[in-house]
Amino acid sequence: MKSLKLLSLAAFLFLLSASCVDNEPVIQSQICFTTYHHERVIPHTKVYVKYYAERFPGYDDRSVYDTHFDTDGSGQVCMVDVPIGIHWFACFGVDSLIGEDVFGSRRINVPSSAYQLDTIIYVSE
């Protein structure tokens, strides 16, 4: 009888602990970019990131940026776990149709750790 009570208690505790498991998916911040010039996708560009920047850091000195990402052949790149805050994104590439360097920038405020954005960076000569 005592072993049945212990077994019942163990089963109850197991079920109780299993019900406390958080099965909610973890949503993390993500920003996806596509680079465009005159409504055309510009593939294989570099997107530089300056985290926590109120002011635009400029195009001249890329060493002031914290990191960079390369877009793919479709001009797209996604960044995950972007921290909360105001960040600048600067894009540098080449428009092969006209043979010119192109660049553009975008300021984005990430208000929460679950922020999701799919956007465009427009570039020009």
Side-chain angles (χ1 to χ4, degrees):
M1 185 66 146
K2 197 173 194 178
S3 64
L4 183 58
K5 285 183 180 180
L6 283 175
L7 184 60
S8 296
L9 179 62
F12 173 75
L13 290 174
F14 173 76
L15 291 174
L16 183 63
S17 67
S19 67
C20 294
V21 173
D22 186 9
N23 291 328
E24 292 293 319
V26 175
I27 299 173
Q28 56 188 341
S29 63
Q30 175 176 296
I31 298 176
C32 295
F33 292 105
T34 305
T35 53
Y36 277 91
H37 182 232
H38 298 302
E39 304 306 318
R40 283 187 44 249
V41 169
I42 304 298
H44 308 294
T45 60
K46 291 197 178 298
V47 179
Y48 286 80
V49 184
K50 180 65 178 169
Y51 295 114
Y52 312 108
E54 291 285 331
R55 293 189 178 132
F56 177 58
Y59 295 113
D60 295 332
D61 184 5
R62 295 180 197 176
S63 70
V64 301
Y65 289 89
D66 297 311
T67 189
H68 74 275
F69 300 88
D70 297 323
T71 65
D72 62 15
S74 300
Q76 298 177 343
V77 65
C78 290
M79 294 168 247
V80 295
D81 291 332
V82 181
I84 295 170
I86 296 172
H87 316 299
W88 275 95
F89 300 84
C91 184
F92 299 88
V94 175
D95 186 330
S96 61
L97 188 64
I98 61 172
E100 295 274 340
D101 289 337
V102 290
F103 53 92
S105 61
R106 178 115 194 232
R107 177 183 183 257
I108 295 177
N109 181 18
V110 178
S112 75
S113 60
Y115 185 72
Q116 303 282 308
L117 179 65
D118 190 359
T119 190
I120 294 172
I121 294 182
Y122 288 102
V123 295
S124 62
E125 303 88 24

